[in-house]
Amino acid sequence: MTLYIQPYPFRRMARRAVAAAQPRQFSLGVNIREEEDSYVLSALVPGLKAEDLNIQVLENTVSIEGAYQAADTEYLLNELPRGSFRRALRLPSEIQADKVEAKITDGVLTLNLPKAESAKPKRINISVN
């Protein structure tokens, strides 16, 4: 005996109706690289200014929040980001929050997150008797 399952044909339309009624929220994509004394975080934030972002650092956690303003225009195709986003990232070691540098250039947010002194490797000298 073969059982055929017919998908509900209006499921996609119901999902689209619910999604259109709610403001869109997405996750901010980031790149992080480790250097000797710091971490460098990069994220694409097209169209946002420094005033549109809220960046916080607590111990080893970096939090980035922001929102894209929705235009009142109807589009034939709308793929640009809109709505709010929030991203919290936990790094492997503590960050010196007072020395963090942030800049936005050509729609790219770059954070320089210096490691705390306690997180930097220290060379131990061995004495020979």
Side-chain angles (χ1 to χ4, degrees), residues 64-119:
I64 304 171
E65 297 179 23
Y68 290 98
Q69 301 302 323
D72 294 335
T73 309
E74 275 196 38
Y75 296 96
L76 294 175
L77 177 65
N78 187 0
E79 295 180 341
L80 295 177
R82 65 174 193 250
S84 62
F85 61 87
R86 184 182 191 305
R87 184 78 189 262
L89 301 157
R90 186 174 300 239
L91 298 172
S93 59
E94 288 192 26
I95 304 299
Q96 290 181 354
D98 56 337
K99 295 187 179 179
V100 172
E101 296 175 2
K103 65 179 179 177
I104 295 179
T105 306
D106 296 331
V108 178
L109 170 67
T110 304
L111 294 176
N112 187 5
L113 306 160
K115 296 178 184 177
E117 288 297 322
S118 62

Side-chain angles (χ1 to χ4, degrees), residues 11 23 25 41 46-47 49 51 65 67 77 80-81 92 107 120 124 128:
R11 183 175 294 165
Q25 186 168 9
L41 181 146
K49 300 176 189 152
E51 306 87 46
E65 297 179 23
L77 177 65
L80 295 177
K120 293 180 184 174
I124 308 296
V128 180

Side-chain angles (χ1 to χ4, degrees), residues 12-24:
R12 283 191 183 155
M13 290 188 335
R15 285 184 192 161
R16 287 182 187 156
V18 170
Q22 297 174 350
R24 230 168 84 183

